Every structure is written in structure tokens, then in C-alpha cells.
């Protein structure tokens, strides 16, 4: 049976991180791909269990650093060669060794800013509302002592009855349907 209109997914509550990891590994092996784990502290095994391996923050940081380098080097070249060419000490207008230190500083500045803002954007922040905020026990449990696995309704394998039966097969846990 397909999910009803307005259903975000099914949220299963676990007491220990090992139960969560076992359920996430089983769900991934069963064919679910649109799922997420929510824990009060980082559980690296859960991220590996749901197939989360890509992290593009380093690529964004590299691109930002290269843009900073090119921006400052280009700015210094434009100023020294075309805008305000000054002959200081008989040096040529394009004296690239003097451009290295400011270009290096801008590389660090742009890389740091792009890493920070790229991470915020890739995390989807700021998120002022999420459907899981309305789930019982999620707000207090996810920040203190409970572990949650959410199977999203957008997953092609998701079926409300089959997915509920799958999650309830992990023992006496709470499985809640989450509405948008």
C-alpha cells in the first residue's frame, strides 16, 4: 500500500546505538535508500550503515581557496600593471614575488569562508521546521537518550504496511507515522 498523501515517513525509536545500527544495516540491505538516523551524539557506524560516504565540503573548500588565490593575484596584477603602475626601485610592474603573501592570505580566507558557508548550505541549515519535530518523544529523545531511524516515504521501496512490519521486526520498539 503506498503512503498516504502528507506522510513523511516512519520513525522507529531504539534504546541503544547498537540496535539502531543493526536496524539501519538491515534496512539498507533490504533495499531502502531514503532513510536517516538521529542520535544524541555522533554514531559513525550509523552513517556507514545507511550508506553515507560522500562529503563535498573539502571540494568546496578547495574551490574557494583557488578562487581566493586567483582573485587576489588578479587584483594585484591589475593594480600593479594597468591601474596604478609605479616604478619602485627599478622593479618591473609585474613583480609576482611580492604578490605571494597577500594571495596566500586570501586563499586561506576564501577557503575558510567557503568551507563554513558550504557546510551550512549542504546541511540544509537553517531548518526552522522539520516534520520529525512533531513526532512524539523525538524532540526530547533525540537530544538526550534515544536513537531514531526514519524511513522516508519518498523511497521507492516504501510501503506503509510493509515498512511498518519491517521496523517492528526489530523487537519491542515504537514505530510512528510522521506527517508533513
Amino acid at each position: 500500500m503506498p503512503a498516504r498523501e502528507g506522510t513523511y515517513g516512519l520513525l522507529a525509536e531504539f534504546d541503544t546505538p547498537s540496535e539502531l545500527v543493526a536496524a539501519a544495516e538491515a534496512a539498507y540491505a533490504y533495499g531502502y535508500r531514503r532513510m536517516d538516523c538521529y542520535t544524541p551524539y555522533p554514531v559513525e557506524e550509523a552513517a556507514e550503515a545507511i550508506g553515507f560516504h560522500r562529503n563535498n565540503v573539502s571540494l568546496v573548500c578547495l574551490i574557494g581557496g583557488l578562487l581566493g588565490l586567483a582573485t587576489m593575484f588578479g587584483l594585484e596584477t591589475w593594480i600593479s600593471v594597468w591601474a596604478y603602475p609605479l616604478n619602485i626601485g627599478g622593479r618591473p610592474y609585474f613583480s609576482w614575488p611580492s604578490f605571494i603573501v597577500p594571495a596566500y592570505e586570501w586563499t586561506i580566507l576564501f577557503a575558510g569562508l567557503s568551507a563554513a558557508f558550504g557546510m551550512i548550505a549542504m546541511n540544509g541549515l537553517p531548518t526552522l521546521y522539520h516534520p520529525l519535530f512533531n513526532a512524539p518523544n523525538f524532540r526530547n529523545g533525540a537530544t538526550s537518550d534515544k536513537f531514531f531511524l526514519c524511513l522516508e516515504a519518498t523511497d521507492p521501496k516504501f510501503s506503509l504496511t510493509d515498512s511498518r512490519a519491517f521496523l517492528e521486526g526489530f523487537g519491542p520498539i515504537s514505530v510512528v507515522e510522521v506527517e508533513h
Side-chain angles (χ1 to χ4, degrees):
M1 171 171 89
R4 293 189 327 242
E5 184 68 31
T7 299
Y8 179 76
L10 288 175
L11 184 68
E13 179 181 334
F14 299 94
D15 291 327
T16 64
S18 58
E19 292 174 351
L20 171 70
V21 170
E25 287 173 345
Y28 192 82
Y30 193 68
Y32 290 104
R33 295 297 181 262
R34 300 279 307 165
M35 60 182 157
D36 208 350
C37 296
Y38 301 92
T39 63
Y41 52 84
V43 179
E44 296 296 327
E45 296 84 11
E48 293 170 8
I50 63 173
F52 181 77
H53 298 292
R54 292 199 53 177
N55 184 353
N56 292 329
V57 175
S58 58
L59 178 63
V60 170
C61 184
L62 173 68
I63 292 171
L66 292 175
L67 285 175
L69 176 72
T71 300
M72 192 58 183
F73 202 82
L75 178 67
E76 289 177 316
T77 301
W78 175 75
I79 289 172
S80 297
V81 175
W82 294 292
Y84 303 103
L86 298 174
N87 186 354
I88 298 173
R91 294 187 189 100
Y93 293 140
F94 182 71
S95 180
W96 67 268
S98 63
F99 301 168
I100 291 175
V101 173
Y104 173 73
E105 294 296 331
W106 273 47
T107 300
I108 293 171
L109 174 69
F110 276 45
L113 290 176
S114 64
F117 290 119
M119 179 208 49
I120 288 170
M122 285 183 227
N123 287 337
L125 296 175
T127 301
L128 303 177
Y129 172 76
H130 194 278
L132 294 180
F133 294 163
N134 296 327
N137 295 336
F138 182 77
R139 185 174 301 220
N140 295 330
T143 58
S144 60
D145 63 347
K146 297 294 181 184
F147 302 87
F148 295 91
L149 174 65
C150 180
L151 299 179
E152 298 176 8
T154 56
D155 193 296
K157 193 160 182 72
F158 185 85
S159 166
L160 199 54
T161 55
D162 294 341
S163 298
R164 182 180 295 275
F166 174 78
L167 289 173
E168 288 174 347
F170 291 103
I173 59 171
S174 169
V175 178
V176 178
E177 181 180 350
V178 180
E179 302 289 329
H180 272 286

